[in-house]
Amino acid sequence: MPVSTLPDLTPEQVVRLQDAHLENANTLLTTALTILDEGYVALARSLAILGLAESGKAQSGLSVLLI
């Protein structure tokens, strides 16, 4: 089976992608705090972990620009 490759991104596209990841991370972390206030600790923890993963994706996008 042939392997498909992703197209190269311009620096502007990388920045937009980072912004989207950070916006997603912010939404997940904000929602986690709201859910935690309602007493749903396990769900809040899961959302916080997903938020951290999203912020990590933004950081990995930065490393692409620095290479």
Side-chain angles (χ1 to χ4, degrees), residues 1-64:
M1 177 175 8
V3 176
S4 61
T5 59
L6 296 173
D8 290 334
L9 299 176
T10 66
E12 293 80 16
Q13 289 172 316
V14 172
V15 169
R16 283 199 308 268
L17 185 58
Q18 285 178 298
D19 288 344
H21 285 306
L22 291 174
E23 185 176 333
N24 289 342
N26 185 56
T27 299
L28 287 163
L29 293 171
T30 302
T31 303
L33 289 172
T34 302
I35 295 296
L36 182 61
D37 288 342
E38 296 296 321
Y40 298 99
V41 176
L43 180 56
R45 180 178 47 229
S46 296
L47 291 173
I49 290 168
L50 290 171
L52 291 171
E54 281 295 305
S55 66
K57 291 176 190 177
Q59 288 179 344
S60 67
L62 179 60
S63 66
V64 168

